[in-house]
Amino acid sequence: MDIACIHQYVTDQGLSETARNHMIAPLRIAKQHFGHDVVSALHHVDDLMAAVKKEYNNPRTSRNYINGLKMVVHIPAIRQAVGEDRSVDIEKKLHNELQSLNHASYQMSRRPTNTENSQQELERLRKENDILRKMLQAINSLTAGIA
């Protein structure tokens, strides 16, 4: 089964353009990197997931495409071609990868942004500046009292 067949099936099912892209893009990566058709790409799902993560280099984006692969595995013709037991194994691997990407995505959202880091640094420098200004005023008043 090739990508065009998957694209036609997905279109016939009435899925959105976004869903189609999430399903088709990883299969194109498999074709590009490994020369695999859809079924053999799914048999090498570990390599395919690694290639998707490397290609997109972002947990949130990778998650969308791994989820698209999960939808591909649910296509009846694919399940039949891959075999029911192997399909279940592939789904488990994809599910575990999604869990990992969800965690990575969550961790990414919890990190302060560059703007937040800059604001924190600016606030720290302001406090430091205030302390130095007060120290200078104290030194000036001491030296004024001596003179």
Short mmCIF file of all heavy atoms in Angstrom, two decimals, residues 19 23 25 28-29 41 50-51 54 63 65 69 80 86-87 89-90 100 110 114 117 124 127 146:
data_model
loop_
_atom_site.label_atom_id
_atom_site.label_comp_id
_atom_site.label_asym_id
_atom_site.label_seq_id
_atom_site.Cartn_x
_atom_site.Cartn_y
_atom_site.Cartn_z
N ALA A 19 -5.50 16.64 9.83
CA ALA A 19 -5.42 15.21 10.15
C ALA A 19 -4.73 14.45 9.02
O ALA A 19 -3.89 13.59 9.27
CB ALA A 19 -6.81 14.65 10.41
N MET A 23 -1.13 12.37 9.18
CA MET A 23 -1.03 10.95 8.83
C MET A 23 -0.05 10.72 7.68
O MET A 23 0.67 9.72 7.68
CB MET A 23 -2.41 10.42 8.45
CG MET A 23 -3.38 10.38 9.61
SD MET A 23 -5.05 9.96 9.12
CE MET A 23 -4.94 8.19 8.93
N ALA A 25 2.51 12.90 6.43
CA ALA A 25 3.89 13.41 6.57
C ALA A 25 4.87 12.35 7.10
O ALA A 25 5.95 12.20 6.54
CB ALA A 25 3.91 14.66 7.44
N ARG A 28 5.74 9.99 4.37
CA ARG A 28 6.68 10.58 3.41
C ARG A 28 8.10 10.54 3.95
O ARG A 28 9.05 10.33 3.21
CB ARG A 28 6.26 12.01 3.08
CG ARG A 28 5.03 12.06 2.21
CD ARG A 28 4.84 13.42 1.57
NE ARG A 28 3.69 13.36 0.68
CZ ARG A 28 2.60 14.10 0.82
NH1 ARG A 28 2.51 14.98 1.79
NH2 ARG A 28 1.60 13.96 -0.04
N ILE A 29 8.23 10.77 5.24
CA ILE A 29 9.56 10.68 5.87
C ILE A 29 10.09 9.25 5.72
O ILE A 29 11.27 9.05 5.41
CB ILE A 29 9.50 11.11 7.35
CG1 ILE A 29 9.23 12.61 7.44
CG2 ILE A 29 10.77 10.73 8.09
CD1 ILE A 29 8.93 13.09 8.84
N ALA A 41 7.17 0.48 6.52
CA ALA A 41 7.50 1.59 7.44
C ALA A 41 6.96 1.28 8.83
O ALA A 41 7.64 1.53 9.83
CB ALA A 41 6.91 2.90 6.92
N ALA A 50 11.90 7.68 15.39
CA ALA A 50 13.16 8.43 15.57
C ALA A 50 13.35 9.44 14.44
O ALA A 50 13.76 10.58 14.68
CB ALA A 50 14.34 7.46 15.63
N ALA A 51 13.03 9.03 13.22
CA ALA A 51 13.17 9.94 12.07
C ALA A 51 12.19 11.11 12.18
O ALA A 51 12.54 12.26 11.87
CB ALA A 51 12.94 9.18 10.76
N LYS A 54 13.48 13.48 14.82
CA LYS A 54 14.65 14.20 14.32
C LYS A 54 14.24 15.26 13.30
O LYS A 54 14.75 16.37 13.30
CB LYS A 54 15.64 13.22 13.70
CG LYS A 54 16.92 13.87 13.24
CD LYS A 54 17.89 12.85 12.69
CE LYS A 54 19.15 13.54 12.23
NZ LYS A 54 20.09 12.60 11.65
N ARG A 63 4.67 14.98 18.39
CA ARG A 63 3.50 14.32 18.98
C ARG A 63 2.35 14.26 17.97
O ARG A 63 1.68 13.24 17.83
CB ARG A 63 3.09 15.08 20.23
CG ARG A 63 1.89 14.52 20.95
CD ARG A 63 1.53 15.33 22.15
NE ARG A 63 1.24 16.70 21.76
CZ ARG A 63 1.18 17.72 22.60
NH1 ARG A 63 1.39 17.53 23.88
NH2 ARG A 63 0.88 18.93 22.18
N TYR A 65 2.51 14.16 14.71
CA TYR A 65 2.79 13.22 13.63
C TYR A 65 2.82 11.77 14.12
O TYR A 65 2.41 10.87 13.40
CB TYR A 65 4.09 13.61 12.91
CG TYR A 65 3.90 14.90 12.16
CD1 TYR A 65 4.48 16.08 12.60
CD2 TYR A 65 3.07 14.95 11.05
CE1 TYR A 65 4.27 17.28 11.94
CE2 TYR A 65 2.85 16.15 10.38
CZ TYR A 65 3.45 17.30 10.82
OH TYR A 65 3.22 18.49 10.17
N LEU A 69 0.45 8.67 12.87
CA LEU A 69 0.82 7.28 12.60
C LEU A 69 -0.13 6.32 13.32
O LEU A 69 -0.50 5.27 12.79
CB LEU A 69 2.25 7.00 13.06
CG LEU A 69 3.35 7.51 12.16
CD1 LEU A 69 4.71 7.32 12.82
CD2 LEU A 69 3.32 6.80 10.82
N GLN A 80 -4.87 -5.16 8.28
CA GLN A 80 -4.88 -6.47 7.63
C GLN A 80 -3.51 -6.77 7.03
O GLN A 80 -2.99 -7.88 7.17
CB GLN A 80 -5.95 -6.50 6.54
CG GLN A 80 -6.10 -7.85 5.89
CD GLN A 80 -7.20 -7.84 4.86
OE1 GLN A 80 -7.81 -6.82 4.57
NE2 GLN A 80 -7.46 -9.01 4.28
N ARG A 86 0.70 -7.67 15.20
CA ARG A 86 1.75 -6.67 14.97
C ARG A 86 1.17 -5.27 15.08
O ARG A 86 1.82 -4.36 15.59
CB ARG A 86 2.39 -6.90 13.58
CG ARG A 86 3.51 -5.96 13.28
CD ARG A 86 4.75 -6.25 14.13
NE ARG A 86 5.80 -5.33 13.75
CZ ARG A 86 6.53 -4.62 14.59
NH1 ARG A 86 6.37 -4.77 15.88
NH2 ARG A 86 7.44 -3.79 14.16
N SER A 87 -0.07 -5.07 14.62
CA SER A 87 -0.72 -3.77 14.73
C SER A 87 -0.86 -3.34 16.18
O SER A 87 -0.63 -2.18 16.53
CB SER A 87 -2.11 -3.79 14.08
OG SER A 87 -2.02 -3.97 12.70
N ASP A 89 1.05 -4.35 18.66
CA ASP A 89 2.40 -4.02 19.14
C ASP A 89 2.81 -2.61 18.69
O ASP A 89 3.38 -1.84 19.46
CB ASP A 89 3.43 -5.02 18.61
CG ASP A 89 3.29 -6.40 19.25
OD1 ASP A 89 2.63 -6.50 20.31
OD2 ASP A 89 3.82 -7.37 18.67
N ILE A 90 2.53 -2.30 17.44
CA ILE A 90 2.87 -0.97 16.89
C ILE A 90 2.11 0.11 17.64
O ILE A 90 2.67 1.14 18.01
CB ILE A 90 2.58 -0.92 15.37
CG1 ILE A 90 3.56 -1.82 14.62
CG2 ILE A 90 2.65 0.51 14.86
CD1 ILE A 90 3.19 -2.06 13.17
N SER A 100 5.67 9.78 26.22
CA SER A 100 6.97 10.42 26.41
C SER A 100 6.98 11.84 25.83
O SER A 100 7.47 12.77 26.45
CB SER A 100 8.05 9.57 25.73
OG SER A 100 9.27 10.24 25.73
N ARG A 110 6.72 24.35 30.87
CA ARG A 110 7.00 24.81 32.23
C ARG A 110 8.28 25.62 32.32
O ARG A 110 8.52 26.30 33.29
CB ARG A 110 7.08 23.62 33.18
CG ARG A 110 5.85 22.76 33.13
CD ARG A 110 5.03 22.68 34.35
NE ARG A 110 5.75 22.78 35.59
CZ ARG A 110 5.32 23.51 36.61
NH1 ARG A 110 4.22 24.19 36.52
NH2 ARG A 110 6.00 23.55 37.72
N ASN A 114 12.51 33.01 27.11
CA ASN A 114 13.61 33.98 27.08
C ASN A 114 13.16 35.31 27.65
O ASN A 114 13.91 35.99 28.35
CB ASN A 114 14.13 34.16 25.66
CG ASN A 114 14.95 32.98 25.21
OD1 ASN A 114 15.45 32.22 26.04
ND2 ASN A 114 15.09 32.81 23.93
N ASN A 117 13.10 35.00 31.37
CA ASN A 117 14.48 35.03 31.87
C ASN A 117 15.03 36.44 31.83
O ASN A 117 15.70 36.87 32.76
CB ASN A 117 15.37 34.10 31.03
CG ASN A 117 15.11 32.63 31.33
OD1 ASN A 117 14.62 32.30 32.39
ND2 ASN A 117 15.43 31.79 30.39
N ARG A 124 16.82 41.48 38.81
CA ARG A 124 18.00 41.22 39.64
C ARG A 124 18.99 42.38 39.51
O ARG A 124 19.53 42.86 40.52
CB ARG A 124 18.66 39.91 39.22
CG ARG A 124 19.81 39.49 40.13
CD ARG A 124 20.55 38.28 39.59
NE ARG A 124 21.25 38.56 38.34
CZ ARG A 124 22.39 39.25 38.23
NH1 ARG A 124 22.95 39.76 39.30
NH2 ARG A 124 22.97 39.43 37.06
N LYS A 127 17.77 45.48 41.46
CA LYS A 127 17.99 45.35 42.90
C LYS A 127 19.46 45.57 43.24
O LYS A 127 19.78 46.27 44.20
CB LYS A 127 17.54 43.97 43.38
CG LYS A 127 16.04 43.79 43.43
CD LYS A 127 15.66 42.39 43.87
CE LYS A 127 14.16 42.21 43.83
NZ LYS A 127 13.78 40.84 44.18
N ILE A 146 33.45 63.68 57.40
CA ILE A 146 34.86 63.74 57.75
C ILE A 146 35.48 65.05 57.27
O ILE A 146 36.29 65.63 57.95
CB ILE A 146 35.63 62.52 57.15
CG1 ILE A 146 35.13 61.23 57.80
CG2 ILE A 146 37.14 62.67 57.35
CD1 ILE A 146 35.70 59.98 57.18
#
